[in-house]
Amino acid sequence: MEETYLLNTEGVKKKILHGGRGELPKFQDGSKIIFHFQTLKDDFERTVIDDSREAGIPMEIIVGKMFKLEIWETLLSSMRAGEVAEFWCDAIHTGMYALVSRGMRRIAEGRDPLEGQKHRCGMGNMFDYHSTGYDDLDELQRTPQPLIFIMELFQVEEPSAYKRDTWAMNKEEKLAAVPVLHSEGNRLVLRKEFGQAAAKYQEAVICLRNLQAKEKPWEEGWLKLESLVTPLVLNYCQCQLELGEYYEVLEHTTELLQKHNDNAKAYFKRAKAHAAVWNEREAREDFLRVAHLDPSMAAAVKKELKQLGERMRKKHVEDRKYYQRLFQPP
């Protein structure tokens, strides 16, 4: 019969189902904990609510990064590598489980875990929490109850032993990561590896946008971060032009120009994307705006307009021939 242990936390009991190996790992801030978990109701059937093995990949949390279900860090910190343990947790520790589970399920489904909560005030987000979108989780949310967590700890990686995901970085680490990602993107562009370069620029933009979300729009701190975002977005758009993702370019340049309507480089890249998808009028308007905003780009604009005219004439000839064949009697 498994022995029950009382952790130094009220409302938590532990049973070791399979002993671990070695010493207790060092769970320092920034350490990555990799584990599988199963969540069960404390009922006669021990109804399974979630099982990370069904998703095919183990769960990861970072120590000290305030994971919404704080008790999990406490539970895992009592385990050795290779250990499997069952934890009974009272309702005082499980009230947030429905929201945590919703996020994990959405990630497993390939959806945004914050869907419905972006750009919303706190009161608006409360209405989202009224329903999780899953019946079993809605029940847990209405009536918080004790839960059982069965966990298998695979390993604990020290902060220096793995590449930190940007979401797990603090403000200083994100700011330090941005120029590194920018430089890596530039290096990949020189090697014409545009897809990988775009991913580096995008990751840097995400770092800065996360920091911007904590600043008041258009004030000094926000503007300083925005000045770093703009060249990264332009580099990202240039990669997308090279990859033929023209509508992606249209989306991001338009968003950029809504905030910075005097950015000649953004107009230039948007004009090239318009030209690529045969939006002749929009392309001409953007090219002419570039020449007006930055006379030094007039020669490049003239060349692009000439190429646009030639392409459009060729397209008109091909279209005319196509329709002549289409309506020619057999």
Side-chain angles (χ1 to χ4, degrees):
M1 183 174 181
E2 301 110 342
E3 187 175 354
T4 300
Y5 299 89
L6 294 175
L7 301 185
N8 293 325
T9 304
E10 181 184 355
V12 177
K13 300 175 185 177
K14 174 182 178 180
K15 291 181 182 178
I16 297 177
L17 307 181
H18 183 278
R21 57 185 180 274
E23 299 294 323
L24 198 67
K26 293 181 180 179
F27 295 91
Q28 56 183 309
D29 278 3
S31 296
K32 180 191 287 186
I33 307 177
I34 304 170
F35 62 100
H36 265 309
F37 74 93
Q38 192 177 49
T39 305
L40 305 92
K41 286 186 176 181
D42 184 23
D43 56 14
F44 181 78
E45 296 83 6
R46 288 169 62 96
T47 305
V48 176
I49 301 171
D50 289 308
D51 189 338
S52 62
R53 287 180 175 79
E54 292 182 359
I57 55 174
M59 179 73 181
E60 297 178 357
I61 64 173
I62 307 297
V63 175
K65 291 302 177 183
M66 296 183 70
F67 184 63
K68 282 185 179 179
L69 201 64
E70 295 180 18
I71 193 62
W72 272 16
E73 193 172 308
T74 302
L75 307 183
L76 290 161
S77 297
S78 74
M79 300 177 70
R80 291 176 169 78
E83 181 179 327
V84 181
E86 176 180 308
F87 300 91
W88 178 90
C89 294
D90 199 359
I92 58 173
H93 301 296
T94 63
M96 290 292 291
Y97 184 78
L99 297 181
V100 172
S101 177
R102 178 182 71 166
M104 293 188 294
R105 290 184 187 186
R106 286 185 171 179
I107 291 170
E109 294 165 3
R111 298 164 60 193
D112 185 347
L114 298 178
E115 182 182 310
Q117 298 179 47
K118 293 184 176 180
H119 311 298
R120 299 279 299 279
C121 67
M123 185 63 70
N125 287 336
M126 285 175 64
F127 288 107
D128 285 324
Y129 292 162
H130 182 68
S131 175
T132 64
Y134 303 93
D135 291 341
D136 58 338
L137 298 183
D138 285 345
E139 180 194 345
L140 287 181
Q141 193 164 246
R142 285 191 299 269
T143 56
Q145 55 194 269
L147 294 174
I148 296 168
F149 301 111
I150 299 177
M151 295 182 162
E152 179 180 1
L153 178 62
F154 291 135
Q155 64 182 112
V156 179
E157 296 182 357
E158 295 183 3
S160 60
Y162 67 94
K163 182 180 181 297
R164 301 282 297 282
D165 292 326
T166 50
W167 64 264
M169 296 178 179
N170 60 32
K171 179 179 179 179
E172 291 71 24
E173 290 168 336
K174 285 177 180 175
L175 285 172
V178 167
V180 175
L181 291 166
H182 197 159
S183 178
E184 289 177 354
N186 293 346
R187 178 177 55 81
L188 290 163
V189 166
L190 292 174
R191 292 164 52 180
K192 299 189 182 301
E193 297 177 14
F194 298 111
Q196 294 181 48
K200 295 294 182 183
Y201 295 137
Q202 186 178 44
E203 188 175 355
V205 169
I206 290 171
C207 278
L208 294 170
R209 292 295 191 210
N210 286 341
L211 295 174
Q212 264 190 321
K214 298 181 176 71
E215 301 286 344
K216 193 170 182 179
W218 301 106
E219 291 197 351
E220 184 179 358
W222 188 94
L223 289 170
K224 186 176 180 180
L225 292 167
E226 185 68 14
S227 69
L228 299 175
V229 168
T230 300
L232 288 163
V233 172
L234 292 172
N235 287 0
Y236 173 82
C237 288
Q238 183 59 42
C239 291
Q240 297 302 326
L241 282 173
E242 298 287 350
L243 294 167
E245 299 291 344
Y246 304 118
Y247 290 103
E248 181 88 354
V249 177
L250 292 175
E251 177 186 349
H252 289 284
T253 51
T254 299
E255 182 181 349
L256 186 63
L257 288 165
Q258 286 171 350
K259 290 183 284 188
H260 310 286
N261 62 3
D262 60 347
N263 192 304
K265 291 182 179 179
Y267 280 117
F268 189 78
K269 295 184 193 305
R270 190 172 75 170
K272 287 178 72 71
H274 275 309
V277 296
W278 308 106
N279 296 338
E280 182 181 11
R281 179 179 60 81
E282 292 87 346
R284 288 187 181 279
E285 287 177 357
D286 279 353
F287 278 132
L288 292 173
R289 198 171 282 119
V290 171
H292 174 73
L293 289 169
D294 188 352
S296 69
M297 298 181 70
V301 167
K302 184 178 179 180
K303 179 181 177 182
E304 291 290 341
L305 286 171
K306 182 180 178 182
Q307 291 177 351
L308 175 62
E310 292 171 352
R311 289 182 68 242
M312 295 308 301
R313 280 192 293 275
K314 184 177 180 181
K315 182 178 186 296
H316 292 326
V317 170
E318 291 174 350
D319 287 347
R320 189 162 56 248
K321 288 180 179 179
Y322 170 77
Y323 287 113
Q324 285 174 348
R325 289 195 300 270
L326 188 65
F327 294 105
Q328 188 176 13

